[in-house]
Amino acid sequence: MKRWMKMVSCGLVVCMALTLVGCETYGQGAGLGAALGAGAGAIIGHQSGHALEGAAIGALAGTVAGLIAHDIKARKQKSREQTVQEYNYQPAQGEMMTFERAEVLPPTVRPGEMVSSTIQYALLGTGGGVEVNESRILMRGDKVISEVSSQSFTRDDGTWVSEQQFRLPGNQQPGQYTVITKVRTAKSAVSGQASFIVQ
């Protein structure tokens, strides 16, 4: 029982530390977030008998706290009629979602700079509107760096362009990164990815 209480207390310390990091100036917040997260994670891991695993989890949480994501901005690129014509869509096909393109701009950035991730997809057969979830994750090679966002919206038929800007942590390591964007409804799903370089 006492051990469980210690773990809960340590968890609260992590949350408080990361909340304070959110109030820091951006450039300092990312590094401090990773350090505090790793330290607090190690404490939690020690209490559970997995010190190294706890430190890794804590460090990831700190890094995530350093990434600042802005609101998703979406616009209808083509009307329902234009999209129907382009895909020769027939109502009997039911709901249809088609990936068209994904990009990240600028193609080369420095740590602490803004990145814009865009995905374009066609959606038809919604019956006037459907809930769509859009999620973005940042990866380096096969390693997930952080989840940028996951939000749901109501979309009707047409071709949609969804854009989200986010600021990289100031301590981001140089190399090639990829943003994977997944778009899904209860019946359909598409995904797209685009890469960029951190100098």
Side-chain angles (χ1 to χ4, degrees):
M1 184 67 176
K2 288 183 179 180
R3 185 175 178 181
W4 182 83
M5 289 298 292
K6 286 181 180 179
M7 291 179 67
V8 171
S9 298
C10 290
L12 291 173
V13 169
V14 174
C15 293
M16 290 175 64
L18 294 179
T19 300
L20 291 173
V21 168
C23 299
E24 290 281 336
T25 312
Y26 175 76
Q28 299 172 344
L32 183 59
L36 287 173
I43 295 170
I44 293 172
H46 177 71
Q47 297 296 333
S48 62
H50 303 281
L52 292 177
E53 183 180 348
I57 293 169
L60 177 60
T63 303
V64 171
L67 188 149
I68 301 173
H70 291 234
D71 290 339
I72 292 174
K73 296 180 180 178
R75 68 181 188 279
K76 188 179 281 191
Q77 184 76 4
K78 297 177 184 176
S79 68
R80 178 186 182 280
E81 292 72 23
Q82 291 172 314
T83 308
V84 165
Q85 185 174 2
E86 181 174 350
Y87 287 95
N88 193 27
Y89 172 81
Q90 302 297 320
Q93 293 176 250
E95 184 179 291
M96 182 195 83
M97 185 187 293
T98 305
F99 167 77
E100 293 191 351
R101 68 179 179 89
E103 66 178 353
V104 175
L105 295 174
T108 304
V109 297
R110 296 182 183 279
E113 292 184 343
M114 296 295 295
V115 174
S116 178
S117 168
T118 301
I119 188 168
Q120 180 171 314
Y121 57 94
L123 181 61
L124 292 167
T126 66
V130 67
E131 183 175 292
V132 176
N133 177 267
E134 297 179 4
S135 62
R136 288 173 169 84
I137 57 172
L138 178 63
M139 301 190 68
R140 184 178 184 189
D142 59 356
K143 179 183 178 183
V144 175
I145 302 301
S146 69
E147 181 182 64
V148 178
S149 67
S150 180
Q151 298 180 44
S152 295
F153 309 90
T154 298
R155 304 264 192 252
D156 57 7
D157 289 3
T159 300
W160 290 89
V161 175
S162 172
E163 177 185 2
Q164 184 172 34
Q165 292 186 329
F166 61 93
R167 187 182 301 277
L168 292 171
N171 62 349
Q172 203 70 54
Q173 295 297 311
Q176 179 172 299
Y177 290 79
T178 302
V179 178
I180 298 178
T181 305
K182 297 180 181 180
V183 183
R184 61 175 66 87
T185 69
K187 298 179 180 179
S188 311
V190 296
S191 65
Q193 64 182 52
S195 298
F196 65 101
I197 302 295
V198 176
Q199 292 183 332

